[in-house]
Amino acid sequence: SDLKWFVQTSVEDSSINTSNIIQNTIRLANHRIRHECEIELNLESTRKPAFSGHNFAQLLTNFLFNAAGARKPEHSTVKVIVSTRDEPDYFVLEVTDFGVGMSPSVANRVFEPFFTHGKRTGTGLGLAICHSLISRANGRISIKTAPGEGCTLTVRLPFSQNELGNLQPLQTPTAI
């Protein structure tokens, strides 16, 4: 049912429920990340972004796969926190991993097409595509990282002008 949801998610859907998309996306990505990530959710947003559900799932999938690849060699898993909140003008998605982190020179290039660092697989297109999707939606993405300190990707998206009622925030952090 999760795969059917992903395939049927409309690109034009402006009434997405981000909490549901996050939970469905994590279940879909679970086949690849379940042995590498411990995921905690802190979903506080009550508004909807002007962004398609399909693109939102694509962002989160990329972020989760990158977080899984950032596991410190001496640890069996990496802790990942997925959170949402509302700012006055933006819906905010934050994905924080407590992995290996990046140097400033690497962090400055992560949104460049075909740039990879420290990975055995991948094309180097994931974050470049995410950056493009966010930019086209008049949003912003930023990165905060340091070697050994993990990484936080913060996405700010304008709110949907066609909201069909507000979302209910997740009352307590949930581990998946």
Side-chain angles (χ1 to χ4, degrees):
S1 66
D2 290 332
L3 187 56
K4 183 179 176 184
W5 159 82
F6 183 77
V7 171
Q8 290 180 343
T9 300
S10 169
V11 175
E12 302 301 321
D13 183 11
S14 63
S15 62
I16 65 172
N17 181 321
T18 54
S19 296
N20 287 347
I21 290 174
I22 289 168
Q23 291 173 17
N24 289 342
T25 302
I26 290 170
R27 279 194 298 273
L28 278 171
N30 203 32
H31 76 280
R32 184 165 160 191
I33 65 172
R34 72 175 162 253
H35 299 297
E36 290 136 352
C37 294
E38 294 175 30
I39 300 173
E40 181 180 311
L41 300 178
N42 186 12
L43 309 178
E44 297 178 356
S45 177
T46 59
R47 300 198 52 204
K48 299 172 185 176
F51 204 65
S52 80
H54 185 271
N55 287 349
F56 195 89
Q58 186 173 1
L59 291 181
L60 185 58
T61 300
N62 258 294
F63 297 168
L64 292 172
F65 287 174
N66 285 345
R71 181 178 54 86
K72 293 178 180 177
E74 65 272 16
H75 294 127
S76 60
T77 61
V78 61
K79 182 177 180 180
V80 179
I81 300 172
V82 178
S83 61
T84 63
R85 67 178 183 276
D86 298 329
E87 290 183 348
D89 297 320
Y90 294 99
F91 167 91
V92 179
L93 167 69
E94 252 179 15
V95 178
T96 299
D97 72 62
F98 295 87
V100 295
M102 294 176 255
S103 68
S105 62
V106 170
N108 287 335
R109 297 191 60 201
V110 296
F111 301 120
E112 292 177 17
F114 305 108
F115 178 77
T116 63
H117 179 76
K119 291 169 52 173
R120 293 184 307 269
T121 61
T123 61
L125 290 172
L127 289 177
I129 290 170
C130 290
H131 185 271
S132 176
L133 293 171
I134 293 163
S135 295
R136 285 188 287 168
N138 296 317
R140 299 185 319 235
I141 184 170
S142 60
I143 187 168
K144 180 181 175 192
T145 186
E149 300 294 319
C151 178
T152 298
L153 288 164
T154 303
V155 176
R156 287 179 171 79
L157 295 165
F159 291 116
S160 173
Q161 300 301 310
N162 188 22
E163 292 190 74
L164 303 174
N166 289 337
L167 304 173
Q168 294 299 315
L170 197 60
Q171 296 300 319
T172 57
T174 302
I176 292 184

